Amino acid sequence: MRRTTWFCALLLLCLVLVRPSSAAPDSAEAFMSVTFGLSSKRTQLRMERSGAEASGFIRDGQLSMEGLFEGRPAVFVFGFHARKGLNYKAVYLTSTGDGDEDKALYDALRRAYTARFGNTKESPLPNTWAEGRLLLRNIWEPDRYTTVALSYNPEATNRFPGNSPGARPIHLIYQYSRWDKK
């Protein structure tokens, strides 16, 4: 009887350990914590540890990866200065297929960034991906060298993306200009 109980307990433990996790890894925290100046290898490793996968390796100083951001499929793009390291990072979020849900996430991100960096004015901007259309953009400058831009492309909601970042409704871009040539 003891042997059977022990065997059942061991079998149950094995099933629990082998069963796949229902929660997919989210790369939002890793993306937000990647600091300017980090090398391309360290950036890639940090993102891979969070569940993102490289979709384009370094070429012309850029790395692109795919993963989840706040539970949504996303494309992450990182740009690197030749000698100084990371100086650009962006995430392009996929539409859920529901325009109201996409807009709600955009509004939540805008409120969070406004609370952190101060007020900004949302301004319409010509949409470079759809001629004659507009996208909404907010820009914050937390310090002299850093710019944070949040954009919402209503034309990209209610559809699923192609390979282009422009086919995704929400864009979050961080840029560091300290090392740029003047």
Side-chain angles (χ1 to χ4, degrees), residues 33-163:
S33 69
V34 170
T35 57
F36 294 117
L38 202 61
S39 72
S40 60
K41 289 183 195 277
R42 301 249 345 228
T43 300
Q44 183 175 353
L45 183 61
R46 182 175 290 182
M47 292 300 293
E48 285 174 344
R49 285 183 180 157
S50 73
E53 296 178 2
S55 58
F57 292 98
I58 297 281
R59 57 174 191 255
D60 298 330
Q62 280 199 333
L63 168 68
S64 62
M65 302 186 83
E66 293 180 7
L68 295 177
F69 186 92
E70 298 296 331
R72 291 173 171 237
V75 172
F76 301 94
V77 177
F78 301 94
F80 300 91
H81 183 275
R83 292 181 304 276
K84 304 286 185 175
L86 182 71
N87 67 351
Y88 173 90
K89 63 182 181 176
V91 60
Y92 302 94
L93 301 174
T94 301
S95 176
T96 60
D98 179 3
D100 293 336
E101 195 174 318
D102 292 341
K103 180 77 164 112
L105 177 60
Y106 164 75
D107 287 336
L109 288 169
R110 185 173 44 83
R111 284 191 304 274
Y113 278 92
T114 298
R116 182 167 182 195
F117 299 129
N119 288 332
T120 184
K121 184 176 180 183
E122 182 176 65
S123 58
L125 194 66
N127 188 336
T128 58
W129 295 287
E131 191 175 326
R133 304 292 184 168
L134 297 175
L135 68 102
L136 302 175
R137 174 168 281 168
N138 296 274
I139 296 179
W140 295 271
E141 293 179 345
D143 62 45
R144 188 164 103 176
Y145 301 111
T146 308
T147 303
V148 179
L150 175 65
S151 302
Y152 176 67
N153 180 1
E155 298 295 318
T157 61
N158 298 324
R159 62 185 167 139
F160 294 95
N163 293 332

